[in-house]
Amino acid sequence: MNIINTLLSATDSVTLRQKTEAFLTALFTGNLDPAEVFSPDYQQYTDGNLLDFPGFVQHLSHIRLHTRSVTFRVVQACCNDTLLADRHIVTVVYPGGNQAEIEVYMFATLREGKICRIDEVTRLINGEMSDRALAHATH
């Protein structure tokens, strides 16, 4: 069963939030191959910035390289055959120990068991204004 089908099979909101947190964590820690979850024609629009599939893979690498840890707390989530939507809080710890918290509203379009598009907006909760750019940084 692929990740998207796992999310679709969640029978309650608590389980869906937990599975979404696990999915995001695995993706950003390098324990999940993006090609398993995202279509080759994937596009992501974050705060008006576009990333295609190669750009998104570069974004994941950038996050792993420039942070000590990234954790996700999914506050709300819903999922059906064509849409995964959530509101999550990302806590980033940098190598020097400073932290940032970013709230993310994510709407993922699903097609054939994969994510083909994400539209998201972010809001910096704690941290420096430059931390907000981390949501779409590639270099």
Side-chain angles (χ1 to χ4, degrees), residues 90-112:
V90 182
T91 302
V92 177
V93 179
Y94 292 97
N98 51 327
Q99 296 186 16
E101 277 188 312
I102 302 167
E103 181 178 39
V104 179
Y105 290 83
M106 179 186 79
F107 298 87
T109 304
L110 308 177
R111 183 182 68 221
E112 299 172 0

Side-chain angles (χ1 to χ4, degrees), residues 8 27 39 67 80 83 89 106 108 116-117 123 125 130 137:
L8 287 168
L27 184 64
S39 66
T67 63
N80 64 38
L83 179 70
I89 308 295
M106 179 186 79
C116 60
R117 178 183 172 120
R123 180 178 69 89
I125 298 172
S130 60

Side-chain angles (χ1 to χ4, degrees), residues 27-48:
L27 184 64
F28 278 83
T29 57
N31 294 316
L32 176 63
D33 180 356
E36 290 182 38
V37 183
F38 297 90
S39 66
D41 64 340
Y42 172 72
Q43 292 186 324
Q44 176 173 317
Y45 294 87
T46 302
D47 300 325

Side-chain angles (χ1 to χ4, degrees), residues 110-121:
L110 308 177
R111 183 182 68 221
E112 299 172 0
K114 294 196 175 192
I115 297 172
C116 60
R117 178 183 172 120
I118 287 181
D119 291 280
E120 62 184 10
V121 293

Side-chain angles (χ1 to χ4, degrees), residues 14-139:
V14 172
T15 302
L16 178 58
R17 288 194 316 267
Q18 291 170 341
K19 289 179 183 237
T20 304
E21 285 175 6
F23 154 62
L24 292 169
T25 299
L27 184 64
F28 278 83
T29 57
N31 294 316
L32 176 63
D33 180 356
E36 290 182 38
V37 183
F38 297 90
S39 66
D41 64 340
Y42 172 72
Q43 292 186 324
Q44 176 173 317
Y45 294 87
T46 302
D47 300 325
N49 297 283
L50 172 62
L51 293 176
D52 58 7
F53 183 80
F56 181 68
V57 171
Q58 195 174 9
H59 169 64
L60 294 172
S61 296
H62 176 85
I63 298 296
R64 289 185 209 119
L65 184 64
H66 292 94
T67 63
R68 184 189 313 165
S69 67
V70 177
T71 56
F72 298 87
R73 181 171 56 89
V74 176
V75 180
Q76 296 172 299
C78 63
C79 189
N80 64 38
D81 291 340
T82 60
L83 179 70
L84 167 64
D86 84 2
R87 180 170 66 95
H88 58 266
I89 308 295
V90 182
T91 302
V92 177
V93 179
Y94 292 97
N98 51 327
Q99 296 186 16
E101 277 188 312
I102 302 167
E103 181 178 39
V104 179
Y105 290 83
M106 179 186 79
F107 298 87
T109 304
L110 308 177
R111 183 182 68 221
E112 299 172 0
K114 294 196 175 192
I115 297 172
C116 60
R117 178 183 172 120
I118 287 181
D119 291 280
E120 62 184 10
V121 293
T122 65
R123 180 178 69 89
L124 184 64
I125 298 172
N126 292 307
E128 303 295 322
M129 284 307 293
S130 60
D131 293 325
R132 192 161 180 252
L134 190 63
H136 53 82
T138 58
H139 58 282

